[in-house]
Structure formats: C-alpha cells, structure tokens
C-alpha cells in the first residue's frame, strides 16, 4: 500500500481518479457496443481492479470509506424518487421469499466449505461465522462477528481481501448472466426484455445511450433532488442513531428487542422507509423533479469503481489463497441454490440474480446492479429485502460460529 504511485492520503488525486474513471465508464458504455454489452458497471469495476493491482492506487484510503458512508446513502433516495411505489410492495413480498431461500444457499455453502477446508485454514470456525453473517447481511455483520469471536487481525484482513476479490468477480458474473443464451432460454427475463424493447433504432446509438436519453433539467431540479436527498439522509440517520441507543440489544437481550433494534436502529432501513413514506405522502412533488435518476446513477458509478479497488490479487495469493477457495465455494452454492429454487418457483431471472447479489454483496450492490441494468421496478424492492439481511445475518453467523467452534 505504501509503495503505490498515488498515496492513500492524496485525497484530490484519488477522488479525481474515481470520478474521472466513473465518467469514462459511462461514456464508453454509451459510445461503444463492446462496452455496452458488458455494461459500464463492469468497465468501472475492472478498471479499478487494474489500477489497484498495478500499484497505481492504494487498496485502502479514507476516500473509499467516504464513498461508502456518504455517497451511497445519498444515492439511495435519489434513485427511489421515481420508482413505482405500489410495485415496491408487490415485488418485495416475492423477493423476500427468494432472498431467504438464497440465504439457505449461503449457509449450505459455508457448511460445505468448512468441512472441506477446516484442516487447511486456521481459525476457520471464526472466519465461517464472519463470512456467513456477511453473505446474508453485509459488512456490518462481518465486523460484528469478527469482534464477537475475537478473530486474529491478520486472518480478518485476509478474509476481507478474499471477500472483496470474490465480490468483484461475482458481480461481473452476475452482470453478464442476463446476456447469456443458456440462461435466457431457461428463465423468463421480462425486465431485460423491457429494456431491450425500448431501444431506439438509430445508427450509432447503444442500448445504454438510448435508455439514458437526454431530458429537460433545470437548476431547481438539481437543487430539489440533492437537497431532498440530503434532508432524508440527515433525518433518517439521526432517528436510527437515536433508536439504536434507546432500544436495548446484545447477547443478553431478548430476541424481540434485538429484532426491534435491527429494524429501527439500522440507518439504511430507516432511510429506505422514510423515503417510501415521503413518496407516499408527496407523490406530485417527486414526480415534478427531473434529474434525480441521473444524479443518483452517477453516484452509483463512483461506487462501482470503489468496490473494485480493494480486490488485491497479489495480497490474497501471498496471504491466504485457500480463503479465496473458501468464499468461491460459498458463492457457487449460493448461486446454484438460488437458480434452482428460482426455476422451480417460477421466478424471473432478474429476481434470482438480485436476490443472490443481495445475499453476497448486500442491498447496495444489488440495487446498483438493478440500476445499471435498467430494472427500475426492482430497485426499491431489493433495497428493502436486502436490508433485512442485516438483521438475520448476525443470528446465522453466531449459530454457525458456535457450531463450528465445537468441531475444530
């Protein structure tokens, strides 16, 4: 990290690289057919992986943390301002069932990986607890399990690197699946077809350029979009912070109180809830705002760049290559269970992929995928469903961690 061309504290350069490469990815997707086929999101992600693995930029910096803690919360309400509110609730119920089945795939993958590799990877009981919680919920669950089971720092770091690299690879795979004939012949894909059917037959235009056609936008639209998003983030985060302090939680607290704390004390769940409430109460106001989708999507592209940066291939090869095998098995089993269950229960391909993404990567990466693909009707539902994974993730991680500890 210290030997990189650009240092971790060179904030201007790092912000510049993130913003410029995100902008370039959008341009390439809308200008060239090859980039449109793989999507601007993958272009952004692969470019970030190359930059970090060739020693140009560091794999960790406060700049990247700022994208997670500041940019993503701001992007979420912006992207929800124009979603179909009624469809959110209709689709959320369907997706919740699939998300829970996909979570079973995560648990099965962790158990299989554990028994295959427990004699080869130290403290795998603790790592299994961390990754099972993370691959149902997210990074907050990973951190909670690392603290609870007191995992050694070097193994935590190695697990984070393996997790980041696998997530980057998996995201690329999920983004490419809808374009593969094998899956299109076997699954319904109405959201993909809807985006494809909207293509303007015009020489020199890619599907992405047609989808993001030019719209009227004023200074007032920008002010109302960004200002409203900031207001929702401020209010929801403060309410969640207050409720998290008021509602008891912890090992000695009842399941009901822990559940209440997880529901009302979670910042992202509160943000999503308040945004939906605002949409229901003031529909005409949000319909009158132009540009929120475009601004939110640009912010999400910054996120695409950042999730590729920590995927350090040399670090994982040097420190713990078997951990990459461990997370690979988890992801493969999760996807296999999700696709099989989705096929049997007649789910759409888009729903299956987003449910799996929400498990492995969390609600933000799943929503980002829905945004990048143009599946507007699924953005809100997957955020709702994916955020609930934060609540059950700790219970799954704790249960598996205790079981694995008795087997080591």
């Amino acid at each position: 990290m210290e030997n990189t061309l650009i240092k971790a504290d060179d904030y201007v350069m790092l912000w510049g690289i993130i913003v410029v490469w995100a902008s370039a990815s959008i341009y390439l997707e809308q200008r060239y057919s090859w980039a449109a086929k793989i999507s601007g999101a993958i272009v952004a992600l692969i470019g970030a992986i190359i930059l970090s693995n060739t020693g140009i930029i560091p794999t960790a910096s406060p700049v990247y943390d700022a994208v997670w803690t500041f940019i993503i919360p701001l992007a979420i309400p912006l992207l929800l301002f124009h979603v179909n509110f009624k469809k959110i609730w209709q689709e959320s119920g369907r997706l919740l069932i699939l998300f829970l089945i996909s979570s079973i795939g995560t648990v099965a993958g962790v158990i299989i990986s554990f028994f295959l590799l427990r004699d080869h990877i130290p403290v795998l009981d603790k790592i299994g607890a961390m990754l099972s919680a993370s691959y149902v919920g997210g990074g907050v669950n990973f951190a909670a399990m690392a603290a609870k089971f007191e995992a050694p720092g070097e193994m935590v770091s190695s697990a984070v690197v393996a997790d980041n690299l696998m997530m980057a690879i998996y995201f690329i795979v999920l983004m490419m699946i809808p374009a593969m004939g094998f899956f299109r012949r076997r699954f319904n894909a109405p959201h993909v077809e809807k985006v494809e059917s909207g293509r303007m037959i015009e020489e020199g235009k890619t599907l992405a350029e047609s989808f993001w056609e030019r719209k009227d936008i004023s200074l007032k639209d920008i002010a109302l979009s960004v200002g409203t998003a900031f207001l929702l983030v401020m209010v929801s985060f403060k309410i969640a912070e207050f409720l998290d302090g008021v509602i008891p939680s912890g090992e000695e607290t009842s399941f009901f109180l822990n559940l209440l704390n997880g529901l009302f004390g979670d910042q992202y769940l509160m943000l999503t809830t308040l945004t939906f409430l605002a949409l229901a109460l003031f529909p005409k106001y949000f319909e009158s705002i132009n540009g929120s989708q475009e601004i939110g999507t640009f912010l999400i592209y910054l996120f695409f760049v950042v999730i590729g940066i920590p995927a350090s291939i040399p670090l994982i090869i040097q420190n713990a290559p078997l951990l990459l095998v461990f997370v690979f098995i988890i992801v493969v089993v999760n996807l296999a269970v999700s696709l099989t269950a989705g096929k049997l229960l007649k789910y759409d391909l888009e729903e299956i992929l987003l449910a799996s993404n929400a498990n492995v990567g969390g609600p933000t990466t799943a929503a980002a995928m829905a945004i990048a693909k143009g599946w507007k009707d699924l953005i809100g539902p997957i955020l709702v469903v994916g955020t609930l994974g934060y609540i059950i993730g700790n219970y799954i991680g704790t249960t598996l961690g205790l079981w694995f500890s008795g087997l080591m």
Side-chain angles (χ1 to χ4, degrees):
M1 207 176 295
E2 293 297 322
N3 296 323
T4 55
L5 181 64
I6 298 168
K7 305 303 178 186
D9 60 355
D10 194 344
Y11 302 149
V12 172
M13 284 295 293
L14 289 176
W15 271 115
I17 286 172
I18 292 169
V19 173
V20 169
W21 183 241
S23 304
S25 301
I26 293 171
Y27 172 79
L28 291 170
E29 182 186 38
Q30 296 197 16
R31 183 66 182 85
Y32 299 102
S33 58
W34 64 265
K37 286 177 182 176
I38 63 173
S39 85
I42 293 179
V43 173
L45 210 154
I46 292 176
I49 292 174
I50 293 171
L51 286 170
S52 63
N53 280 277
T54 52
I56 296 173
I57 60 175
T59 55
S61 168
V63 171
Y64 314 150
D65 298 334
V67 172
W68 281 95
T69 59
F70 178 72
I71 298 295
I72 294 304
L74 189 60
I76 288 171
L78 284 168
L79 292 160
L80 292 175
F81 285 173
H82 289 283
V83 298
N84 188 315
F85 186 70
K86 291 181 180 178
K87 282 191 175 181
I88 287 174
W89 301 114
Q90 294 169 357
E91 296 288 343
S92 292
R94 280 175 53 81
L95 275 172
L96 177 60
I97 296 168
L98 188 58
F99 177 82
L100 294 174
I101 294 172
S102 185
S103 299
I104 294 171
T106 293
V107 172
V110 172
I111 292 171
I112 292 168
S113 288
F114 175 79
F115 281 102
L116 287 174
L117 298 169
R118 63 175 172 170
D119 295 329
H120 305 285
I121 302 175
V123 297
L124 194 57
D125 54 335
K126 304 178 192 297
I127 293 170
M130 293 186 299
L131 288 172
S132 60
S134 176
Y135 279 14
V136 171
V140 64
N141 303 90
F142 182 97
M145 292 299 102
K148 178 181 176 64
F149 288 98
E150 298 179 344
E154 66 277 8
M155 292 306 292
V156 172
S157 300
S158 298
V160 168
V161 174
D163 180 23
N164 286 327
L165 179 57
M166 182 49 61
M167 185 56 232
I169 295 169
Y170 191 52
F171 192 88
I172 292 170
V173 171
L174 289 177
M175 292 286 287
M176 294 176 69
I177 283 176
M180 296 179 182
F182 175 85
F183 294 98
R184 291 291 290 274
R185 288 191 297 270
R186 289 164 175 79
F187 293 88
N188 292 323
H191 299 275
V192 175
E193 291 167 4
K194 182 179 178 181
V195 173
E196 290 175 347
S197 67
R199 177 181 293 185
M200 295 169 62
I201 305 174
E202 189 173 331
E203 189 68 27
K205 276 201 171 185
T206 66
L207 177 58
E209 188 176 6
S210 300
F211 183 81
W212 292 106
E213 60 186 354
R214 192 182 300 275
K215 297 173 186 172
D216 290 330
I217 182 171
S218 68
L219 177 61
K220 185 178 76 171
D221 287 322
I222 297 172
L224 292 179
S225 294
V226 177
T228 304
F230 262 108
L231 180 62
L232 286 167
V233 171
M234 288 160 51
V235 173
S236 58
F237 276 33
K238 281 299 176 185
I239 292 174
E241 183 183 331
F242 171 75
L243 293 175
D244 183 45
V246 170
I247 304 172
S249 64
E251 291 182 39
E252 298 179 1
T253 309
S254 68
F255 173 81
F256 178 70
L257 286 175
N258 272 316
L259 182 62
L260 282 181
N261 182 280
L263 283 169
F264 298 108
D266 182 85
Q267 294 178 328
Y268 287 100
L269 193 56
M270 183 59 68
L271 175 59
T272 307
T273 303
L274 287 188
T275 303
F276 288 161
L277 186 61
L279 288 171
L281 293 174
F282 310 105
K284 290 184 179 178
Y285 170 76
F286 289 101
E287 286 172 7
S288 69
I289 302 174
N290 286 337
S292 61
Q293 283 287 117
E294 286 75 9
I295 297 169
T297 301
F298 181 74
L299 296 182
I300 285 292
Y301 268 80
L302 304 184
F303 171 67
F304 287 142
V305 176
V306 167
I307 61 172
I309 291 171
S312 174
I313 297 169
L315 269 180
I316 194 64
I317 292 173
Q318 177 186 344
N319 294 344
L322 281 178
L323 277 179
L324 191 61
V325 177
F326 182 77
V327 293
F328 173 77
I329 294 171
I330 299 171
V331 165
V332 168
V333 175
N334 174 281
L335 183 59
V337 170
S338 300
L339 287 169
T340 303
K343 178 67 175 177
L344 293 174
L345 297 174
K346 298 181 179 178
Y347 277 89
D348 298 330
L349 179 61
E350 301 94 336
E351 294 173 321
I352 297 167
L353 298 179
L354 289 178
S356 180
N357 193 330
N359 261 266
V360 176
T364 48
T365 60
M369 178 178 172
I371 294 156
K373 287 293 188 181
W375 306 337
K376 288 186 176 182
D377 293 340
L378 296 177
I379 298 169
I382 201 59
L383 268 173
V384 174
V385 171
T387 306
L388 293 176
Y390 291 141
I391 299 167
I392 63 174
N394 284 350
Y395 295 103
I396 290 173
T398 300
T399 302
L400 289 178
L402 293 173
W403 179 36
F404 291 160
S405 296
L407 297 172
M408 289 293 281

